[in-house]
Amino acid sequence: MASKYHASSNRTRRPISILIVIGLCCFFYLIMVWQKSGSGKGDKLALAVTEQTADCNIFPPSTLDFESHHNYVEMIESSEPKTKVYKSCDAKYTDYTPCQEQDRAMTFPRENMIYRERHCPPDDEKLRCLILAPKGYTTPFPWPKSRDYAYYANVPYKHLTVEKAVQNWVQFQGNVFKFPGGGTMFPKGADAYIDELASVIPIKSGMIRTALDTGCGVASWGAYLLKRNILAMSFAPKDNHEAQVQFALERGVPAVIGVFGSIHLPYPSRAFDMSHCSRCLIPWASNEGMYMMEVDRVLRPGGYWILSGPPLNWKIYHKVWNRTIADVKAEQKRIEDFAELLCWEKKYEKGDVAIWRKKINGKSCSRRKSTKICQTKDTDNVWYKKMDACITPYPDVQSSDVVAGGELKKFPARLFAVPPRVANEMVPGVTIESYQEDNKLWKKHVASYKRIVSLLGTTRYHNIMDMNAGLGGFAAALDSPKLWVMNVVPTIAENTLGVVYERGLIGIYHDWCEGFSTYPRTYDLLHANRLFTLYQDKCEFEDILLEMDRVLRPEGSVILRDGVEVLNKVRKIAAGLRWETKLVDHEDGPLVPEKIFIAVKQYHVEGDDDQNTQNDE
């Protein structure tokens, strides 16, 4: 009887259970569809920026809003102390560059420009306050107008307009600076100068994509290369020529504070197609040719080195330089000898300009065998490493017509072609398949970003930094003549910067526990993938975020991709920085633990909140 009773009961309940399960499935399906539809009112901030910058007025602070197909993620509250609100720094720090400050620099030796190298403050001397923009700060002109004009209020230094008045570096007109495109060694303008170089170097072919401008001045050479689809990494020291790099970045030209000193340049070997010195005053013939050897390290096989200025044309200018004929003649001879030692072939010399080409491999470089060859196995391991007067060996090749290290395709095909470092399995854990998957993934991510920040990819965001660049997928997916990306490879991450350069992109090594080698307010947008997870046991999040705030322009944007727990910590600190923030779901839905953090830095200038100003610590 018991068996019969239970069988009857099961028959009665089974249809009811099925109906309940079907009903619940339908209900949750509708909920998911509703959630994925999202809601948004458009990118009002970005639209306001575009409208206001058209007539170059200062735009008022706006409410942060994003058009998105994502869900907003609520901040998870915890029992930790309330948000720390950061005070404003004293006005004297408006152009503060933590690792290149003059007072600290003067305590170091002047030999080999050591005092102009990076010297960062210890943890107890770090400024933990907000660097405010100077009074009158205005959003820079949009590119390409910014190449030729900058607001005086943004970079209020007239020193170069006086010292370089006859050399057409920069002129002061009303409330703006004008950059005529001239330089010490190209009085007819950068365009005419580049045309002269193009008579020897295949600048228009797509084979020349990355360039290094040493001692760049206000970076007019790099500025005029941009329209020819060439990215120049420009650098100059922070010295008595006030604000050279600051002017360059204000104009929208890639640049960093840097110097040829005692340590290696923060770039990988075989990075640049072309290197340039226009009266850069670097003592190329000193230190046993050490600086020319460093150029050789970063110059790609088949790349070009351009020297314009002293000691060339010494027959005409030696009296102007207040030097003897014997002195300048001997200096040029030493440069010629070192170039031959490095396996560079002279291709051109006329007037003030000479051009050498590095041979494509070492098969015909007999003199190198009798010279000191660098013994390090990792020629890309250069962060804070001492430079030495030794020659970086070419990668091995089987025949004399093969390009050492691998031949690159012409740009733009180079951007997504498999880089030689990947094809040759030189990056641990990166295969051809994983590289191609990474490209697909970043195209998807960038498409998602553009739905959240609708003006990404326009002239609103011209100076962009990827703080943890990986293989350069973000920059490649975003590639546009309207912008450039500084691809930063952290020193504690996998060393992929060589791959970035082989794609025709530019970048630099950096440790985010320290200040970046740039002036405040020099980037429009900062992007980082898993950066805070990478650094969570290395240094304080607040120090990284304060540095981000320093380099970000007022009303500039931040896009972070990381785990939700990490981003909630970031969001709490960001509130104390006065950023407007949102946390949204991954493009694949709310069940993915990785989230996207979006923020906009508010517009604050000196005097806005004097009561919160923080003096010297």
Side-chain angles (χ1 to χ4, degrees), residues 268 380 421 427-428 430 468-472 488-490 493-502 509:
D380 294 351
R421 278 174 165 89
V427 183
V430 180
N468 187 19
L471 299 173
V488 181
V489 171
E494 193 67 58
N495 190 347
T496 54
L497 194 55
V499 173
V500 170
Y501 273 95
E502 287 181 344
Y509 295 116

Side-chain angles (χ1 to χ4, degrees), residues 27 59 61 119 135 174 176 208 262 283 288 307 356 497 503 506 512 514 539 571 573 576 599:
F27 174 74
F59 46 84
H119 302 291
K135 262 185 182 175
V176 300
I208 305 299
S262 66
E288 302 177 79
L307 175 63
W356 286 264
L497 194 55
R503 303 187 71 167
I506 58 171
W512 284 111
E514 302 178 355
C539 51
R571 193 177 181 186
I573 299 170

Side-chain angles (χ1 to χ4, degrees), residues 542-582:
E542 72 165 348
D543 289 335
I544 300 175
L545 286 159
L546 282 165
E547 179 63 3
M548 292 171 67
D549 187 82
R550 185 185 74 86
V551 305
L552 192 63
R553 286 172 171 164
E555 296 187 318
S557 296
V558 174
I559 302 175
L560 304 179
R561 178 179 290 273
D562 218 316
V564 64
E565 292 184 5
V566 168
L567 289 181
N568 271 310
K569 294 177 183 177
V570 167
R571 193 177 181 186
K572 177 168 282 190
I573 299 170
L577 301 175
R578 312 170 200 174
W579 292 0
E580 297 179 35
T581 67
K582 292 288 185 183

Side-chain angles (χ1 to χ4, degrees), residues 253-438:
V253 183
V256 292
I257 302 171
V259 66
F260 265 106
S262 66
I263 60 174
H264 283 289
L265 298 178
Y267 313 113
S269 58
R270 308 189 307 280
F272 298 98
D273 300 308
M274 180 168 58
S275 183
H276 175 252
C277 163
S278 173
R279 206 174 191 276
C280 60
L281 303 181
I282 293 169
W284 297 114
S286 66
N287 294 322
E288 302 177 79
M290 183 171 70
Y291 297 143
M292 290 180 68
M293 292 172 183
E294 180 67 355
V295 169
D296 181 74
R297 183 187 69 82
V298 300
L299 193 62
R300 188 161 292 138
Y304 295 85
W305 186 57
I306 304 146
L307 175 63
S308 65
L312 300 175
N313 220 355
W314 53 265
K315 293 179 181 178
I316 295 176
Y317 294 115
H318 72 92
K319 290 184 179 178
V320 177
W321 301 333
N322 197 27
R323 295 177 65 183
T324 67
I325 291 177
D327 181 29
V328 287
K329 187 177 180 180
E331 183 183 359
Q332 180 164 354
K333 177 65 167 56
R334 288 195 299 273
I335 289 174
E336 302 273 9
D337 288 344
F338 284 129
E340 185 180 351
L341 191 67
L342 292 167
C343 218
W344 298 357
E345 184 180 1
K346 195 171 191 179
K347 292 291 187 180
Y348 179 86
E349 183 175 352
K350 184 178 180 181
D352 301 320
V353 180
I355 301 173
W356 286 264
R357 188 184 187 209
K358 179 178 178 178
K359 292 188 178 181
I360 63 172
N361 59 53
K363 286 291 184 181
S364 62
C365 303
S366 57
R367 286 195 62 187
R368 280 193 171 212
K369 297 176 182 178
S370 60
T371 308
K372 184 179 179 183
I373 302 296
C374 300
Q375 296 303 307
T376 177
K377 293 182 179 179
D378 188 356
T379 56
D380 294 351
N381 182 17
V382 293
W383 184 249
Y384 285 136
K385 295 293 191 299
K386 288 288 183 181
M387 205 186 304
D388 193 11
C390 62
I391 298 177
T392 302
Y394 280 101
D396 292 334
V397 294
Q398 297 301 314
S399 64
S400 59
D401 58 351
V402 175
V403 178
E407 187 171 2
L408 301 180
K409 293 186 179 296
K410 295 180 179 180
F411 196 85
R414 188 186 297 185
L415 191 59
F416 289 103
V418 178
R421 278 174 165 89
V422 173
N424 296 328
E425 300 180 345
M426 296 178 67
V427 183
V430 180
T431 63
I432 293 175
E433 292 74 22
S434 66
Y435 167 76
Q436 292 169 338
E437 284 300 316
D438 188 74

